[in-house]
Amino acid sequence: MRVESTAGTGLFVAANAAASVSNCIFYKNKTALKAGGGAQLQCFNNTFYQNTQAIRVEPGGTIDPLRNCVLADNGLGVSVGDGGSVASGYCAFFKNTLAYDGPYVPGDTDFVSNPQFVDPDRNNFHLSQTSNLRNTGDPSPQYQDVDG
């Protein structure tokens, strides 16, 4: 699924709700993905590209896990309010104006690397054959991405 909304939030998970978001492209949103206070969200195998703010977790919200995601060319990668939390791993950050703010700390397996999308200007966010991101995701079966 591709989520694009130049005026507002691409996907909002309401306060105290639970959701799982996977295999989505969030592109050119003001805030791509927002977890309300008390929300519990699983987020894996997603791409966040050219958003003003890729991920916002309101105070008391949780994203666990944030896994195998690409956050590239965003204004702000991950923003977490006081009392919110994000448990990330195997996520690639690249050319975000600010990678993160708030109490968020990248996981030990997060890294910085150019995703080398095939042609993002034409909405082709597949990884090129030479991308360093190929086969670098979490090897656990529940997070496998069939596209590499």
Side-chain angles (χ1 to χ4, degrees):
M1 173 181 12
R2 180 170 170 223
V3 181
E4 181 178 354
S5 167
T6 58
T9 301
L11 179 62
F12 175 63
V13 179
N16 301 312
S20 181
V21 178
S22 63
N23 300 306
C24 295
I25 298 169
F26 294 89
Y27 177 59
K28 291 190 176 182
N29 296 279
K30 183 174 180 185
T31 300
L33 178 61
K34 185 175 183 179
Q40 296 184 358
L41 179 61
Q42 296 179 337
C43 180
F44 53 93
N45 298 346
N46 296 296
T47 298
F48 298 86
Y49 184 73
Q50 290 187 347
N51 300 284
T52 303
Q53 179 174 251
I55 297 171
R56 170 68 184 159
V57 178
E58 294 293 314
T62 300
I63 297 180
D64 186 4
L66 174 64
R67 193 73 87 232
N68 293 357
C69 291
V70 177
L71 295 93
D73 292 314
N74 298 289
L76 174 58
V78 178
S79 175
V80 179
D82 291 338
S85 66
V86 174
S88 66
Y90 298 93
C91 291
F93 292 81
F94 185 71
K95 290 179 88 175
N96 299 293
T97 304
L98 180 63
Y100 57 90
D101 77 353
Y104 169 73
V105 176
D108 291 343
T109 55
D110 291 334
F111 55 97
V112 175
S113 184
N114 183 345
Q116 298 178 359
F117 297 125
V118 171
D119 191 354
D121 293 334
R122 296 183 191 268
N123 300 320
N124 186 343
F125 292 96
H126 287 94
L127 301 176
S128 71
Q129 291 299 317
T130 59
S131 173
N132 291 330
L133 271 56
R134 287 191 166 276
N135 301 312
T136 60
D138 189 322
S140 301
Q142 68 265 32
Y143 303 121
Q144 285 189 341
D145 181 0
V146 296
D147 286 337

